[in-house]
Amino acid sequence: MKRLMSVVLSMVVVLMMCGGAMAEDFNAQGSTLVPSLYFDFMAANNWTSPYIIISNITAEKVQCRVTMYNHDGSDVTSLGYVMTGGTNWVAVSHGVGDFDLPAYSSRIYSLLPSGGTKAIVGYATIEWKSDNVKLRKALVGGVMRYRAHPGGAAESQVLINHGDPF
C-alpha cells in the first residue's frame, strides 16, 4: 500500500509539472491596447466587424497574441480568426489569437460572422515576442470597421497606437 501511494504521488507530481509547462506565459516584449471594438452579426448579409490589421516592420519573425474581450471582460478570442491575403483570403488560425508574423508581413484578426445573432462591444490586446530579445518595437496596426448590409458596405479605419510602432 505504501508503495502504491508512492507511485500515485509520483504520477501526480509529474502531471503537475507537465501542466505547468503547457500553461507557459507568453512573456511579451511589446504590447498595446485596441479600444472601442464593435461586432454585430444579425444575418449573413447584415453584419459589422472590426478587422485588426497588424504589420511586422522588422526583418525578424515575431509571435503575436491577440486577445479580444467583450462588454463584461470575458475573453471571446475563440470567436476570432487570423487571415492573410494573396489571390484569396487564407485563414492562418481560427479560434485562437496566437500566430506567427513573418518579417515585413501583415495579418488580419477579426471575429467570425456566423452562427446566430451576436453583439459584442469591447477591446483587444495585442502582444508580441521575438527570439531576438533586444528587439523593442516590431508592429504597427490599424482597425478597419467593415459593415455589410443590404444595398452596400461601408468602411472606416483608425490607427492603433496613433500609428506609432509598439
Side-chain angles (χ1 to χ4, degrees), residues 50-70:
Y51 290 118
I52 301 173
I53 303 164
I54 305 166
S55 299
N56 179 356
I57 58 171
T58 72
E60 315 245 353
K61 176 187 79 166
V62 297
Q63 297 85 46
C64 292
R65 174 175 285 174
V66 176
T67 307
M68 175 84 184
Y69 299 94
N70 70 7

Side-chain angles (χ1 to χ4, degrees), residues 95-108:
V96 295
D98 292 7
F99 57 97
D100 286 339
L101 192 52
Y104 304 116
S105 64
S106 300
R107 299 291 182 263
I108 294 176

